[in-house]
Amino acid sequence: FFFRRRTNMGNSQGHEAQPTTDIQDNQDVVEDVDEDNDENSEYNDYLNEWPTEPTEFPDLFRECTACTYAAISIFILADLRRLAREGHIQPNQEDGTGDVLSFPIRFTTDIAPIWDDNVELLKHKMKRIEYDTFDCLAKLYYENSQLHYETDGGQCYSMGDERASEECVYGILVNSVRKTITLVFRGSITLQDWVQDSKTPFRSIDNPLHKFKREIEEKQNNNIDISDLPAKLPLHSGFLQYLYNDDEENPIISSLGHSVEVAREKFLSRKRSTQSGEQEGAQVEAKEKPDVNKNMSKIDYVMKEIEEIYKTRPDYKLYITGHSLGGALSLIAALEAAVRFTVLQNKPPVTCITLGNPKAGGAELRKAIYTLETMHHLRVLCIHNANDLVPMLPNSCCFSNIYWKRYKHAGMQLRMLDEERMGKSTAPKFSVRYRGKTRQIKDWSSTNKERVRRISTIALCVHRIGERHFYGNYLRSLNARQEALSSLYLNDFYEKLSDDW
């Protein structure tokens, strides 16, 4: 089975590892670590918990929390870079630390000093939610030695936020400790993001499995049968436009968010011009905007950047993640990445872990992802909080009884159960189920009744949508279930399904 749960890294035979309590017996993992260095030795056990072989993956808790931190960090990084363009944050003139406008951005030498030196400034200039999150992560960074060591190996290789008010924002993170590349998309925060969220009609793209059909057929070792897959994939039109730069739609709707956002930016620009030092900041912003290749879609440009990273880090594992809107974009990007890198270039399997993502497409998208899952080229886990309304959206228009015209989730689903309703129950406070296979529904009336019941239940607590959907709440939910999730592995769930495949 290509997805091995975890193997003993010092055992070339690939037998299953001993339980975590015995992991200290594995001496091969730390043979290159200086035993006299106390700073390194305290992380030895932690290093053992992060498999670095291409086909090995850590436990469910570590994979989920690592992606959650990445999904949160994209909000903070984008806000810090905005402040730097406006001239509020300046790098250290002596050693160059604290520079968030030049890549790579290192978390320990660029992000941490900004927090240490500009706490009061950030409190007044950052968005409140980003500041509170930054404050929380900074405390974790200094108090949690494991997180501190992991962060030391991380850097932001690239970001696409120069036109944050008009396009989706993404970042590419590289971690040398975990040997991972993480593509992260930011969730909804600008008015244009919300406008894109509202564009729910289906629009189609070429199925990546068909788009690269000739290349796939030339490969002798992937065994992918694409004969019964549709040539087109219907996707959420707003998400499609963000990734594929497709502007073919109602011009009034497409320009609404942009016009309002431009007006807002002009108002803020006039306000900033009355303050000292803002002229210099405006010049910085103008210099930072790169030339945009109009002939290349956003998704093609991102894939090209990842391919450049792979040239120097061929054994790194690729993770794709995001919260809310970012999660939906991640799912589409994961399909593209799995075809381009895992199928065509024999890279390690692509892992997509999303947080509170809405549905990104219909049954055809689900089937394409299912095909890659069965061939062990793609792993998908969607994390949904209890009574979070966003993962239920977009709903199928008029409760359409045409299965292929309904929006569908895909991959594995980790659903957090409502702790308030469970009370002191000792039952597991989460469930895992697979949403990848299509099913024949004979009684549409009962299905629609269940849909109405769920919507009615959540509508009663719609006033708490911010709390239930907030990315910080997802991190708290995972931490509250650390003990149980640490004993589970995503590949184990896929292995249980492999018999049916």
Side-chain angles (χ1 to χ4, degrees):
F1 193 69
F2 190 67
F3 292 152
R4 288 180 291 171
R5 183 181 84 171
R6 180 175 68 182
T7 61
N8 188 325
M9 283 181 282
N11 190 336
S12 61
Q13 298 302 318
H15 297 301
E16 192 168 291
Q18 297 299 317
T20 306
T21 53
D22 298 329
I23 203 164
Q24 293 179 354
D25 294 336
N26 184 359
Q27 301 296 329
D28 295 337
V29 180
V30 296
E31 62 182 3
D32 295 329
V33 178
D34 185 359
E35 296 180 358
D36 296 330
N37 189 334
D38 293 336
E39 184 179 359
N40 284 335
S41 61
E42 66 176 294
Y43 300 120
N44 287 351
D45 293 341
Y46 182 61
L47 282 171
N48 286 349
E49 291 297 319
W50 280 105
T52 55
E53 291 298 319
T55 56
E56 297 173 355
F57 295 88
D59 61 74
L60 203 56
F61 176 75
R62 292 188 180 277
E63 284 198 288
C64 291
T65 52
C67 287
T68 303
Y69 282 125
I72 293 174
S73 69
I74 193 68
F75 287 90
I76 298 173
L77 278 171
D79 215 14
L80 290 178
R81 282 168 56 83
R82 174 184 64 83
L83 292 176
R85 292 191 186 98
E86 294 173 359
H88 296 297
I89 299 175
Q90 299 290 341
N92 189 307
Q93 297 298 325
E94 296 180 0
D95 55 13
T97 59
D99 184 3
V100 293
L101 293 180
S102 301
F103 297 105
I105 302 172
R106 294 176 174 81
F107 293 106
T108 52
T109 60
D110 294 321
I111 304 298
I114 290 178
W115 175 260
D116 294 337
D117 301 335
N118 303 277
V119 174
E120 290 302 318
L121 172 67
L122 296 177
K123 188 174 184 179
H124 292 92
K125 295 295 183 180
M126 287 186 76
K127 297 180 178 68
R128 176 62 185 274
I129 191 171
E130 270 78 33
Y131 173 82
D132 291 341
T133 305
F134 199 176
D135 183 26
C136 176
L137 293 182
K139 292 176 180 177
L140 287 173
Y141 173 77
Y142 289 114
E143 296 173 1
N144 188 319
S145 60
Q146 293 181 347
L147 180 61
H148 188 111
Y149 183 76
E150 175 191 349
T151 306
D152 285 351
Q155 62 182 12
C156 180
Y157 176 87
S158 173
M159 276 193 72
D161 63 336
E162 291 78 11
R163 302 176 64 190
S165 63
E166 305 171 32
E167 302 177 351
C168 67
V169 172
Y170 72 91
I172 302 178
L173 315 178
V174 178
N175 192 298
S176 59
V177 173
R178 292 187 277 118
K179 290 190 175 182
T180 58
I181 304 167
T182 303
L183 169 61
V184 53
F185 291 93
R186 190 179 70 175
S188 300
I189 195 169
T190 66
L191 180 58
Q192 184 64 36
D193 291 336
W194 298 110
V195 171
Q196 295 299 121
D197 291 337
S198 67
K199 299 175 182 178
T200 58
F202 280 125
R203 296 272 305 287
S204 295
I205 62 166
D206 293 332
N207 188 337
L209 287 169
H210 273 272
K211 185 165 60 176
F212 298 99
K213 182 177 180 180
R214 182 177 60 82
E215 291 87 344
I216 292 175
E217 290 176 345
E218 291 175 356
K219 301 289 289 184
Q220 300 297 321
N221 57 348
N222 53 65
N223 300 320
I224 293 184
D225 181 12
I226 60 176
S227 58
D228 62 338
L229 288 175
K232 296 287 185 178
L233 293 183
L235 301 177
H236 183 289
S237 59
F239 306 156
L240 181 150
Q241 182 183 3
Y242 254 177
L243 290 177
Y244 295 91
N245 300 357
D246 192 341
D247 297 323
E248 182 186 344
E249 58 177 313
N250 189 319
I252 298 177
I253 296 177
S254 64
S255 62
L256 174 63
H258 174 65
S259 300
V260 176
E261 191 67 22
V262 167
R264 174 178 174 273
E265 288 297 326
K266 288 182 178 179
F267 169 76
L268 293 177
S269 178
R270 287 194 216 101
K271 183 178 179 181
R272 288 193 295 264
S273 65
T274 61
Q275 303 174 1
S276 61
E278 293 304 323
Q279 295 297 330
E280 181 181 353
Q283 294 175 2
V284 173
E285 181 175 4
K287 291 179 181 179
E288 276 297 308
K289 289 188 177 181
D291 294 332
V292 179
N293 188 342
K294 298 297 184 180
N295 297 322
M296 183 177 294
S297 67
K298 176 81 73 173
I299 190 66
D300 287 332
Y301 185 78
V302 172
M303 294 297 123
K304 183 178 179 181
E305 288 188 295
I306 294 175
E307 189 166 9
E308 288 298 315
I309 299 175
Y310 265 135
K311 289 180 180 179
T312 56
R313 302 167 179 86
D315 59 336
Y316 276 35
K317 293 186 281 285
L318 176 60
Y319 282 83
I320 304 180
T321 187
H323 170 261
S324 192
L325 163 69
L329 298 178
S330 299
L331 195 63
I332 301 171
L335 175 63
E336 290 274 2
V339 173
R340 300 187 192 209
F341 301 126
T342 308
V343 175
L344 299 180
Q345 300 182 27
N346 294 324
K347 298 297 183 185
V350 174
T351 302
C352 177
I353 297 181
T354 68
L355 307 169
N357 63 294
K359 302 165 189 173
E364 293 92 339
L365 175 63
R366 170 187 279 187
K367 187 171 184 180
I369 291 174
Y370 169 75
T371 300
L372 291 171
E373 287 177 308
T374 59
M375 300 299 172
H376 318 309
H377 295 308
L378 178 62
R379 311 158 72 233
V380 176
L381 179 68
C382 301
I383 307 173
H384 297 158
N385 262 347
N387 296 330
D388 184 354
L389 179 62
V390 174
M392 294 187 63
L393 302 175
N395 219 343
S396 300
C397 182
C398 300
F399 296 97
S400 171
N401 290 351
I402 303 175
Y403 181 84
W404 296 97
K405 295 298 182 182
R406 287 175 173 253
Y407 275 98
K408 299 294 178 184
H409 278 300
M412 296 283 183
Q413 181 189 51
L414 173 61
R415 183 169 177 266
M416 306 299 183
L417 304 182
D418 193 338
E419 295 186 60
E420 295 180 2
R421 298 183 62 183
M422 294 185 67
K424 296 182 179 180
S425 172
T426 58
K429 291 182 172 56
F430 62 88
S431 64
V432 179
R433 56 179 176 175
Y434 186 61
R435 306 298 299 271
K437 297 187 69 173
T438 57
R439 59 192 179 97
Q440 297 295 328
I441 298 178
K442 299 180 180 180
D443 186 1
W444 283 104
S445 61
S446 61
T447 302
N448 288 335
K449 288 179 181 178
E450 174 63 17
R451 189 184 296 269
V452 172
R453 185 194 68 78
R454 291 181 61 194
I455 294 176
S456 301
T457 300
I458 294 180
L460 295 176
C461 55
V462 70
H463 61 287
R464 300 180 62 185
I465 185 173
E467 171 193 341
R468 297 180 185 277
H469 188 61
F470 175 48
Y471 50 70
N473 197 35
Y474 272 87
L475 183 59
R476 286 192 292 271
S477 296
L478 290 169
N479 286 330
R481 297 159 175 82
Q482 176 177 356
E483 183 177 356
L485 293 174
S486 296
S487 62
L488 301 175
Y489 295 80
L490 180 57
N491 291 341
D492 284 349
F493 291 103
Y494 274 111
E495 190 166 5
K496 291 178 181 178
L497 291 171
S498 64
D499 293 338
D500 297 333
W501 294 344

